[in-house]
Amino acid sequence: MSYPIRNLLYQTAARLFFLLLLLSSQLLAGQPIEDTQRDSPRGALTAAFEKANLMVALSGVEWRPGLNMAVASLETGKTISLNVSLLANTNYVFIATTTADEEDTDLYLRDSSGAVIGADKEPDATPIIEFRTDYAGTYQLQVHLVSSRHPREFVAVCLLRAAGRSILESEYREVATSFFNSVEDVKAAYSGTNWLATPTQWCAFGYSLSENEGISIIGLRPGPGPKIIAATGSRILQNIDLYLANETQRIIAMDNGPDAFPLISYDCPPGSSFDLRVEVERGKTPAFLLVGILERE
């Protein structure tokens, strides 16, 4: 799936400029993130947002409506996958990163048959795939943490699209600050609570949703034991609801109260699979929100 030559040359130049900006920003940043911050996905999520935001500024893509960010705690040498629905004949950009820039991370895009149709295997921490779809369908993004200074890292991925939506840096930072502060309050209230670290599972998701929009993550397998799911959105989102359904599509936990800070908890049986749905009941315009999954001892 190649672009026309003119677009290919433009995107190559834009990518080179983007990578130069990334390098300069890393040099100016000075010291790496402290190890004490590695117990939270915030560093990887913010790094991914900043790098994706550079791509938005340099190219004709914006943030994908619906699901557009995900972050996970991943063991070094392991791979995690994310299934996404993509439109036909549309330009997409996928960017992955980690908390620090010393790691080596690869990114793959697979079609419905499992064939690799896009990849960035360069030895760096910020793989990028630029891709134009021929057909609509479900595709799979795979993030592989090749090497790291630590046995486990938070990795994040961002999804951009032509004719997408805007997420301002100020909006992201406001939502992220509120979200992670709320999570710390939950962790303080429930001892032994930490970010979900079950292998192959994402622990937080970012969305762009507007009024009466909803989206589901299908087939979550968070592992046995008590789980807490919380969401926080932009101030213009006045009502956010969360629903958790089991394999029979029966809703087993929910928070659909008239507020923008839903929280649900559920003691998951071993081997169970769930669908997690987030809905916006009231909101003036499309806005950013974050959903996190925590586990309790």
Side-chain angles (χ1 to χ4, degrees), residues 1-228:
M1 276 62 74
S2 61
Y3 296 110
I5 296 298
R6 183 176 61 183
N7 288 342
L8 180 59
L9 291 174
Y10 166 77
Q11 290 168 0
T12 300
R15 178 183 169 87
L16 289 174
F17 185 44
F18 171 72
L19 292 175
L20 286 173
L21 282 177
L22 281 181
L23 178 60
S24 63
S25 66
Q26 293 163 13
L27 292 174
L28 291 173
Q31 299 300 318
I33 295 175
E34 296 293 335
D35 288 347
T36 54
Q37 300 182 34
R38 293 183 178 276
D39 61 350
S40 169
R42 184 170 186 172
L45 198 67
T46 298
F49 174 84
E50 291 175 347
K51 293 172 183 180
N53 223 23
L54 280 176
M55 182 63 77
V56 169
L58 292 170
S59 66
V61 294
E62 294 180 287
W63 291 89
R64 177 179 181 264
L67 178 68
N68 51 38
M69 299 185 75
V71 62
S73 177
L74 188 63
E75 290 185 19
T76 301
K78 300 296 185 179
T79 299
I80 189 166
S81 302
L82 181 68
N83 291 331
V84 293
S85 297
L86 304 183
L87 301 176
N89 304 314
T90 304
N91 296 341
Y92 287 91
V93 177
F94 309 109
I95 300 174
T97 194
T98 63
T99 305
D101 290 307
E102 296 86 354
E103 327 304 354
D104 182 9
T105 309
D106 292 344
L107 185 62
Y108 301 88
L109 180 66
R110 297 179 182 271
D111 63 15
S112 57
S113 71
V116 175
I117 53 177
D120 184 340
K121 298 183 287 184
E122 294 298 318
D124 57 48
T126 308
I128 304 166
I129 296 176
E130 299 171 76
F131 184 81
R132 181 175 177 83
T133 55
D134 282 342
Y135 57 89
T138 299
Y139 296 73
Q140 186 179 76
L141 278 172
Q142 288 187 322
V143 182
H144 178 53
L145 184 58
V146 179
S147 63
S148 169
R149 296 174 301 146
H150 303 271
R152 180 182 289 271
E153 286 280 352
F154 283 103
V155 298
V157 62
C158 293
L159 291 73
L160 308 175
R161 194 195 82 181
R165 290 176 176 172
S166 173
I167 300 177
L168 299 177
E169 182 177 355
S170 58
E171 180 185 19
Y172 167 80
R173 293 194 179 280
E174 177 184 321
V175 173
T177 297
S178 179
F179 173 73
F180 285 104
N181 286 345
S182 297
V183 168
E184 289 305 312
D185 290 341
V186 171
K187 292 170 69 175
Y190 300 94
S191 61
T193 300
N194 292 293
W195 290 96
L196 182 69
T198 303
T200 75
Q201 298 296 300
W202 301 87
C203 65
F205 305 93
Y207 302 88
S208 175
L209 295 175
S210 61
E211 187 169 276
N212 296 322
E213 279 190 332
I215 193 167
S216 298
I217 299 293
I218 308 298
L220 289 175
R221 292 185 175 274
K227 304 295 184 294
I228 297 175

Side-chain angles (χ1 to χ4, degrees), residues 201 217-224 243-253 266-276:
Q201 298 296 300
I217 299 293
I218 308 298
L220 289 175
R221 292 185 175 274
Y243 301 90
L244 190 67
N246 62 14
E247 296 96 327
T248 65
Q249 300 302 300
R250 183 173 68 89
I251 295 176
I252 54 177
Y266 185 72
D267 194 352
C268 301
S272 298
S273 175
F274 305 94
D275 296 346
L276 174 63

